[in-house]
Amino acid sequence: MPIQLKSPVIETERLILRPWKQEDREHYFTLSSDADVMAYFPNAQMQEEADAVFARIFARQEEVGQCFPVVEEKTTGAFLGFCGLSVPRGDLGLPVWPTVEIGWRLHKAHWGKGITLEAAKAWLEFAFHELKLEEVIAYTAHNNMKSRRVMEKLGMSRNPAEDFRITSLDRDHRLNPHVLYRLSAEVWRED
């Protein structure tokens, strides 16, 4: 049985973090079809691929409780992207599994405003205090310095010996290797 995550609605100062709804499908497509947003993924998604991925996200949310929940602007209800917890598939090549990861993707108009940090901190607080997780991981392509900086600002640390290659990508793909960051409940409580 996979790890189970609860899927509450969390409010922060500026944000509402909530589960996906079927009516978010077009929002997901708009976000995932942007070449800049998808620079550290194999490609921007066309409608058919985005619809298939959205269906998997929705199914994963139903299966394990959440899958990178939606980030909405509190004052306007605008869809900003997603950020939160998920249980990664076991076939990615991760050096640690089973595990819980934190991940994010925002529309570029909202980059540099602290939104990812605000949302991620709320989810990490939930992970360690409500779910009583011992550790949360994050990973990204080695050259994705923006996401790596977010991981470091969250207090996550990297051991280069745990760098890995995503199994679905060619060994020499521009996005391989990937770097793994970890954050323990103990370190989180110290901050």
Side-chain angles (χ1 to χ4, degrees), residues 47-148:
Q47 184 77 57
E48 187 175 312
E49 181 182 9
D51 288 348
V53 172
F54 182 79
R56 287 194 299 271
I57 288 170
F58 208 81
R60 195 76 173 146
Q61 175 179 274
E62 295 298 309
E63 179 186 0
V64 299
Q66 67 172 264
C67 185
F68 305 124
V70 170
V71 176
E72 277 185 4
E73 187 173 47
K74 189 186 279 188
T75 56
T76 65
F79 178 96
L80 306 182
F82 58 83
C83 177
L85 306 172
S86 189
V87 177
R89 298 186 336 258
D91 63 350
L92 297 175
L94 285 165
V96 56
W97 193 86
T99 189
V100 173
E101 69 175 302
I102 188 159
W104 47 82
R105 187 181 307 165
L106 292 182
H107 283 290
K108 63 186 170 195
H110 305 290
W111 293 353
K113 298 178 181 180
I115 291 168
T116 301
L117 277 174
E118 185 175 331
K121 285 178 179 180
W123 282 117
L124 288 169
E125 188 71 19
F126 178 79
F128 294 128
H129 290 105
E130 298 297 322
L131 296 178
K132 307 290 187 209
L133 297 178
E134 290 299 313
E135 179 181 70
V136 174
I137 68 155
Y139 62 91
T140 190
H142 65 99
N143 51 354
N144 186 350
M145 298 312 294
K146 288 179 184 177
S147 279
R148 290 176 66 172

Side-chain angles (χ1 to χ4, degrees), residues 40 92-95 139-145 148 158-167 169-181:
Y40 296 101
L92 297 175
L94 285 165
Y139 62 91
T140 190
H142 65 99
N143 51 354
N144 186 350
M145 298 312 294
R148 290 176 66 172
R158 171 185 170 232
N159 176 349
E162 293 184 314
D163 290 356
F164 67 102
R165 297 189 184 281
I166 292 285
T167 55
L169 298 175
D170 290 338
R171 182 168 180 75
D172 296 325
H173 192 280
R174 66 180 174 81
L175 300 177
N176 267 329
H178 271 54
V179 292
L180 177 77
Y181 282 75

